[in-house]
Amino acid sequence: MLKHYWVAFFVVVSWVVNFRVLDASAGDADPLYRACVKQCGETGCVAQRCFPQCNFSSDGVSVDGPWYMQEPLYMQWKQWDCQSDCRYYCMLDRENKREATGHDPVKYHGKWPFKRVYGIQEPASVAFSVLNLAMHFHGWISFFILLYYKLPLRRDKKTYYYFASLWHVYALLSFNSWFWSAVFHSRDVDLTEKLDYSSAVAILGYSLILSILRSFDVKDDAVRVMVAAPLLAFVTTHILYLNFYKLDYGWNMQVCVVMAVVQLLVWAIWAGVTRHPSRWKLWLVVVAGGLAMLLEIYDFPPYQGFVDAHAAWHATTIPLTYVWWSFIRDDAEFLTSNQMKRLKTSNLAKKAK
């Protein structure tokens, strides 16, 4: 039954992903919106609001010097250009008029009409990304303290938990991923987009490797390399493809969905067969994580211009991250306890001889 559920889930996700990628944005096809953007580019104004960055001389040089230096200090680092501001305020103008006539919000250039806060493009997603980063940091710190200050250590001061180094790398990749997620949602430009996408692919690929190594209890370094090498090669090639050949949104989404679903399957199967004392936490993360992915499918416009489906998905991962690191700590205690029992039994056997 579980197998059929995940197969059906994967088919639905793949179909919706392909549909969303091919679906054009209705907002930027609106003639009134296009006319507004064109007029703004010529006059530098939308209604009564005018932008200094649109004030150019005949040779294309800003009349009053670098335009971003004319902005308030808290806005300068965003460096919104003339086209960005024209599109943004024309979008707000059109959405206000659409709302007045009872029409639902539409997307513009592939994005919902978000409202900026202090120049931040998607404030809710930024806030939730930062909270996810903080939750991962809290989880890793508590894991580190548990390993090196609460659990017994070997004579060489190394931990008995033989997956410790893998989780440390996982933490670093998670920090990196959520940091660039916050930056990207603050200001969507080509560089921040590629860094966000690349970081997400990296953590998904590594998480898949980690799920296989932990579920099959792989301890030998040589076997770990054999398992990880082909997946690392694929993830690295995919990241290079996105950054230096083509940023293919559809293909990237399919790759991410496959890696996410496969690792959820691996964890779910292992949770079903293991006698791990904290397997219920694993089940909770797997089931809730799978349901949370539905938010990426059921795409809805931002409430009050701030919280859309993607931002809501970021919000759901905050408590799941807490539970996940709780499971990792429990796993460290469980395996360390088993190791200590084996050592004690081995020492007793030696003394008996």
Side-chain angles (χ1 to χ4, degrees):
M1 185 69 184
L2 180 66
K3 178 181 177 182
H4 294 305
Y5 166 78
W6 281 109
V7 169
F9 178 72
F10 174 67
V11 170
V12 171
V13 169
S14 299
W15 180 82
V16 175
V17 163
N18 285 324
F19 176 81
R20 286 178 59 188
V21 168
L22 294 174
D23 188 23
S25 300
D28 47 275
D30 183 352
L32 294 176
Y33 167 78
R34 290 192 172 192
C36 175
V37 172
K38 182 180 179 181
Q39 183 181 14
C40 177
E42 295 171 352
T43 64
C45 299
V46 175
Q48 301 301 315
R49 183 187 293 269
C50 297
F51 317 112
Q53 57 266 40
C54 294
N55 187 19
F56 294 105
S57 62
S58 58
D59 58 358
V61 179
S62 177
V63 173
D64 301 315
W67 62 262
Y68 56 86
M69 296 302 293
Q70 304 162 36
E71 295 291 307
L73 184 61
Y74 65 87
M75 294 284 287
Q76 288 180 16
W77 69 281
K78 294 294 178 182
Q79 297 193 9
W80 294 104
D81 57 19
C82 179
Q83 184 186 59
S84 298
D85 272 340
C86 285
R87 286 181 174 181
Y88 175 70
Y89 288 102
C90 284
M91 174 192 73
L92 291 185
D93 183 64
R94 285 298 301 138
E95 284 303 304
N96 288 334
K97 291 176 181 176
R98 287 176 59 83
E99 184 180 3
T101 56
H103 291 86
D104 293 329
V106 293
K107 288 187 176 182
Y108 296 80
H109 306 284
K111 287 183 172 290
W112 287 115
F114 291 97
K115 294 179 181 178
R116 297 178 189 169
V117 176
Y118 294 109
I120 296 176
Q121 204 164 348
E122 299 176 37
S125 289
V126 172
F128 293 143
S129 294
V130 171
L131 287 173
N132 272 286
L133 173 58
M135 195 60 70
H136 273 286
F137 184 73
H138 171 271
W140 175 71
I141 286 293
S142 59
F143 174 67
F144 185 89
I145 292 172
L146 174 70
L147 281 180
Y148 297 101
Y149 293 96
K150 294 183 179 180
L151 294 179
L153 298 173
R154 301 177 187 271
R155 291 181 180 178
D156 57 1
K157 299 299 181 181
K158 291 183 179 180
T159 176
Y160 283 100
Y161 183 55
Y162 41 84
F163 292 104
S165 59
L166 296 177
W167 288 117
H168 291 323
V169 175
Y170 169 80
L172 292 175
L173 290 174
S174 296
F175 299 159
N176 177 70
S177 178
W178 286 112
F179 172 79
W180 288 116
S181 173
V183 172
F184 170 66
H185 289 300
S186 295
R187 182 70 169 97
D188 177 4
V189 295
D190 184 62
L191 177 61
T192 58
E193 183 178 45
K194 287 181 177 179
L195 287 169
D196 177 50
Y197 279 40
S198 299
S199 300
V201 171
I203 186 60
L204 278 172
Y206 184 80
S207 298
L208 175 57
I209 293 169
L210 192 49
S211 68
I212 296 170
L213 297 181
R214 179 60 191 95
S215 298
F216 289 93
D217 198 27
V218 180
K219 304 174 187 177
D220 186 74
D221 288 339
V223 178
R224 287 183 176 184
V225 170
M226 290 175 64
V227 171
L231 290 172
L232 285 175
F234 171 76
V235 169
T236 303
T237 303
H238 180 63
I239 291 174
L240 292 173
Y241 173 84
L242 294 177
N243 283 273
F244 301 106
Y245 182 70
K246 182 183 179 183
L247 188 56
D248 190 327
Y249 299 100
W251 168 242
N252 180 64
M253 183 64 78
Q254 289 176 13
V255 168
C256 290
V257 166
V258 168
M259 290 194 295
V261 171
V262 169
Q263 64 183 280
L264 284 175
L265 272 172
V266 171
W267 286 121
I269 293 170
W270 184 61
V273 299
T274 186
R275 294 188 176 182
H276 198 290
S278 296
R279 60 186 177 274
W280 68 270
K281 293 181 181 179
L282 191 57
W283 272 116
L284 177 61
V285 172
V286 168
V287 174
L291 293 175
M293 286 179 66
L294 295 175
L295 287 169
E296 290 291 272
I297 299 171
Y298 180 64
D299 194 17
F300 56 82
Y303 177 73
Q304 297 295 319
F306 296 110
V307 181
D308 69 332
H310 186 70
W313 174 70
H314 281 333
T316 62
T317 56
I318 297 170
L320 290 180
T321 298
Y322 179 84
V323 177
W324 182 237
W325 277 103
S326 176
F327 166 75
I328 295 169
R329 291 193 299 272
D330 292 349
D331 189 50
E333 291 187 77
F334 175 64
L335 289 185
T336 299
S337 175
N338 287 346
Q339 285 280 88
M340 297 304 296
K341 287 177 183 178
R342 291 193 193 99
L343 285 174
K344 187 176 181 179
T345 303
S346 178
N347 289 334
L348 290 174
K350 288 180 181 179
K351 288 180 181 180
K353 292 181 180 179

